[in-house]
Amino acid sequence: MNTQDVIRLASQYLDNLSGHIFDVLDISKPVTVDAALNLAKVISKLSPLLGNLIEFNTVEFLNKQNEFSEFGKWQRQDPGFPDTIFVGTVQPTPGLEIKAWFPLATEITARFKDSQNHFKYDQTYVAMLAWLPEKIIYGKPRILDVCVVSGLSVALARDTHYHNPPDYIVLEPEDTTQRTANLQQTNTSGYKFQGSVEELLEAQKIVDSWGIEGKIYKPTREYQHLLRELLIRYKYRLDTNFAKMDRIVHPGIAKFKQRVYNIEVSGITVGQWNRLLSSRREDSIKKYLQDYLEIREESIDELLD
């Protein structure tokens, strides 16, 4: 079994998680419509906790599959990248960066900043697991859909989408290979031009002098040197929204997102639930919670009986 065999097999098992319920936490059904409304407002705050629990359990799930045991074991390496690697006899070491997505959030907020240089053997893939409570705002977390894509393809899509010198430049981390493992840097960064119009035109002439392929992103030391000269010479702002998965414009991730939004849960699609719960139209939200989640108005006397 080689690296791609391990990744392919893991991807197949992860795909089969669609519809799977993780018994890690059970959110109780709200007893009143008002309680349901309040829960709907804060349910997204559980996303980081439940997302981490899902990621932990996914590793355990993979290790229960007999096909892997002869060759190694999946192991988390938090806070390293990727967060899950296959430790054993297979080289280069296969890895999975597992990202749980709660689709009632405004966007896929997970980031992907790692350099193309990390993926030269295409040994690391990104596994995205979309999940919701069984009944939208209560119940156990259920996997809606899974997307597994090459980490290299995500890095290429990110750099191609963002990099547009001199207006926007993507920079590789500086060489930190001499540092201990916990201090080595692998993340790219995005910078937006902040100079004047005249300075932008001047910088454009510099980029033009790089030749016909001067705007095509390269993670090489030579090309990065050219970009750093721009950063030194002109004013740039670090882009704090750089590399959010929702903004990378990766076709596989875009299709995955649309699939998830089209899944019907408790009477309407996930996309419709997303729009409804983010609308702040409390009367409409209450009506849908009553109609589709079987939550009814009850008096205090009924609750105490």
Side-chain angles (χ1 to χ4, degrees), residues 27-28 30 34-44 46 137-138:
I27 304 168
S28 298
D34 283 337
L37 180 63
N38 289 329
L39 180 58
K41 292 177 181 178
V42 300
I43 187 67
S44 63
L46 283 175
I137 60 171
Y138 69 89

Side-chain angles (χ1 to χ4, degrees), residues 167-206:
D167 183 57
Y168 196 107
I169 60 177
V170 175
L171 277 183
E172 297 289 313
E174 294 184 3
D175 185 4
T176 58
T177 53
Q178 300 304 312
R179 299 181 186 177
T180 56
N182 63 315
L183 294 177
Q184 291 182 14
Q185 301 295 315
T186 62
N187 285 353
T188 55
S189 301
Y191 292 88
K192 174 69 175 172
F193 191 87
Q194 296 292 287
S196 65
V197 174
E198 291 77 13
E199 288 174 322
L200 181 61
L201 292 173
E202 181 182 295
Q204 183 62 60
K205 291 179 181 178
I206 295 174

Side-chain angles (χ1 to χ4, degrees), residues 120-151:
K120 57 184 176 181
Y121 301 113
D122 200 22
Q123 78 280 24
T124 300
Y125 275 54
V126 181
M128 300 186 65
L129 286 72
W131 70 276
L132 282 177
E134 296 166 276
K135 292 289 188 177
I136 292 294
I137 60 171
Y138 69 89
K140 297 174 182 177
R142 180 169 71 94
I143 303 300
L144 297 175
D145 199 356
V146 177
C147 172
V148 183
V149 293
S150 159

Side-chain angles (χ1 to χ4, degrees), residues 33-34 36-41 136-137 268 272-293 295:
V33 175
D34 283 337
L37 180 63
N38 289 329
L39 180 58
K41 292 177 181 178
I136 292 294
I137 60 171
I268 60 176
Q272 289 172 317
W273 278 116
N274 179 301
R275 291 190 293 274
L276 173 69
L277 296 179
S278 62
S279 69
R280 299 184 180 180
R281 292 157 50 195
E282 294 194 357
D283 289 342
S284 296
I285 295 172
K286 283 184 176 182
K287 183 177 186 305
Y288 274 80
L289 293 176
Q290 286 178 292
D291 292 347
Y292 291 105
L293 300 187
I295 299 171

Side-chain angles (χ1 to χ4, degrees), residues 63-288:
N63 280 326
K64 290 178 181 177
Q65 313 310 318
N66 294 330
E67 288 91 333
F68 294 118
S69 59
E70 181 183 348
F71 304 96
K73 181 180 180 180
W74 289 99
Q75 179 177 303
R76 284 188 60 82
Q77 54 170 10
D78 192 18
F81 179 90
D83 51 26
T84 304
I85 57 174
F86 188 71
V87 179
T89 59
V90 179
Q91 293 295 325
T93 302
L96 289 171
E97 179 70 4
I98 302 173
K99 296 185 179 296
W101 173 42
F102 180 71
L104 296 187
T106 53
E107 62 180 352
I108 305 176
T109 55
R111 298 173 189 267
F112 193 84
K113 291 185 174 184
D114 278 79
S115 166
Q116 290 182 33
N117 290 327
H118 177 87
F119 308 101
K120 57 184 176 181
Y121 301 113
D122 200 22
Q123 78 280 24
T124 300
Y125 275 54
V126 181
M128 300 186 65
L129 286 72
W131 70 276
L132 282 177
E134 296 166 276
K135 292 289 188 177
I136 292 294
I137 60 171
Y138 69 89
K140 297 174 182 177
R142 180 169 71 94
I143 303 300
L144 297 175
D145 199 356
V146 177
C147 172
V148 183
V149 293
S150 159
L152 177 60
S153 73
V154 178
L156 285 169
R158 175 200 65 213
D159 297 339
T160 300
H161 171 66
Y162 278 98
H163 190 63
N164 182 32
D167 183 57
Y168 196 107
I169 60 177
V170 175
L171 277 183
E172 297 289 313
E174 294 184 3
D175 185 4
T176 58
T177 53
Q178 300 304 312
R179 299 181 186 177
T180 56
N182 63 315
L183 294 177
Q184 291 182 14
Q185 301 295 315
T186 62
N187 285 353
T188 55
S189 301
Y191 292 88
K192 174 69 175 172
F193 191 87
Q194 296 292 287
S196 65
V197 174
E198 291 77 13
E199 288 174 322
L200 181 61
L201 292 173
E202 181 182 295
Q204 183 62 60
K205 291 179 181 178
I206 295 174
V207 173
D208 291 342
S209 72
W210 298 348
I212 192 169
E213 295 187 351
K215 285 199 169 190
I216 299 175
Y217 187 77
K218 304 177 192 69
T220 62
R221 182 175 298 180
E222 295 76 16
Y223 188 71
Q224 293 298 309
H225 178 71
L226 295 174
L227 296 178
R228 290 187 186 280
E229 286 186 340
L230 287 178
L231 193 66
I232 292 170
R233 189 164 181 173
Y234 301 102
K235 185 178 180 181
Y236 279 85
R237 170 182 57 83
L238 178 66
D239 181 7
T240 55
N241 285 315
F242 172 69
K244 284 186 176 180
M245 297 290 280
D246 219 14
R247 306 182 186 187
I248 284 175
V249 193
H250 184 285
I253 295 173
K255 289 179 182 177
F256 165 67
K257 180 180 177 181
Q258 195 55 54
R259 281 202 316 268
V260 170
Y261 281 150
N262 288 336
I263 294 173
E264 185 173 302
V265 179
S266 298
I268 60 176
T269 67
V270 173
Q272 289 172 317
W273 278 116
N274 179 301
R275 291 190 293 274
L276 173 69
L277 296 179
S278 62
S279 69
R280 299 184 180 180
R281 292 157 50 195
E282 294 194 357
D283 289 342
S284 296
I285 295 172
K286 283 184 176 182
K287 183 177 186 305
Y288 274 80

